[in-house]
Amino acid sequence: MPIVKYPRATEPLWHEWDRKAQKCGLRHTVYAVNGDYYTGEWLDNLKHGKGIQVWTRAGAIYSGDWKFGKRDGYGSYSILDPVTKEYKKVYVGWWKNDTKCGYGVTFYPGVERYEGEWSNGQRSGWGRMYYQDGSVYEGQWVEDRPGGQGMLRLSNENRYEGGWKDGKKHGPGKFFYLDKGQLFEGIWAADIPKCGILIDFGRAEAPAPPQYPIPKV
């Protein structure tokens, strides 16, 4: 009985190419059509694990954790300095769903920086902000502004301790005028003291006390 041989079915070549194109695990640098490129780990064709993403047109780089194509976990974000042509760190800390979330440090132009908690890309929770003029705010934040209880220390060491709302002094608080040796304690509304008492406080150690002490009531 003659044996009939049938031609073996061959898999289309594009099937093999498609399998090779599916990114999973650690891969070499993968380039996008706009010039951006990523080096690191993948899962189901999405950036997942450790990796470095470079945005060439924006002059930015992220190095850290990824989860299903988004920055998630711990990582640093840097931008290219147009003068030195070197990358300067802008944010170092935790991310969630591609935004700052958790504890992190942000470096602003000049000497300003923020150390503290983030939520949905905004300063939220506890944090400390160093300002250009030398003042420092330490306390609670709500939607990227001081809100709740906090302390603002000015460059001359005078300080305010008390309530905040929308980035302004609000509610019960104390303002220590250490340069004059006085203390104001009262109620604030939108950065304006509405009522309170002013007493001498550390007058003997003050560098520039008023000529006459405040009489006791």
Side-chain angles (χ1 to χ4, degrees), residues 21-61:
Q22 298 301 308
K23 297 179 284 295
C24 187
L26 182 62
R27 294 291 294 265
H28 292 295
T29 303
V30 176
Y31 291 87
V33 293
N34 62 358
D36 299 345
Y37 55 93
Y38 171 81
T39 306
E41 297 176 296
W42 298 79
L43 179 65
D44 296 334
N45 250 6
L46 295 173
K47 301 162 191 167
H48 190 88
K50 302 288 185 182
I52 300 174
Q53 170 72 46
V54 177
W55 296 273
T56 54
R57 183 173 297 180
I61 183 172

Side-chain angles (χ1 to χ4, degrees), residues 177-207:
Y177 297 93
L178 300 183
D179 58 338
K180 299 179 181 179
Q182 293 179 335
L183 166 64
F184 176 84
E185 183 173 1
I187 305 297
W188 302 71
D191 247 1
I192 300 174
K194 294 297 183 177
C195 63
I197 58 173
L198 182 67
I199 62 174
D200 284 327
F201 181 85
R203 177 183 172 85
E205 295 81 20

Side-chain angles (χ1 to χ4, degrees), residues 77-145:
Y77 179 78
S78 306
I79 60 174
L80 188 65
D81 191 308
V83 178
T84 63
K85 303 301 180 182
E86 296 181 352
Y87 283 100
K88 289 181 57 178
K89 287 184 178 180
V90 175
Y91 175 77
V92 180
W94 292 92
W95 302 72
K96 186 176 183 180
N97 198 28
D98 222 30
T99 60
K100 304 170 188 174
C101 189
Y103 185 85
V105 181
T106 293
F107 302 91
Y108 298 94
V111 299
E112 291 192 346
R113 77 178 187 275
Y114 171 81
E115 305 171 352
E117 297 175 308
W118 296 79
S119 179
N120 294 322
Q122 294 184 323
R123 292 169 288 188
S124 184
W126 178 92
R128 182 188 296 118
M129 180 72 192
Y130 298 85
Y131 294 98
Q132 186 75 32
D133 61 2
S135 59
V136 180
Y137 171 80
E138 182 175 358
Q140 295 174 308
W141 294 75
V142 177
E143 295 182 349
D144 222 32
R145 291 185 289 186

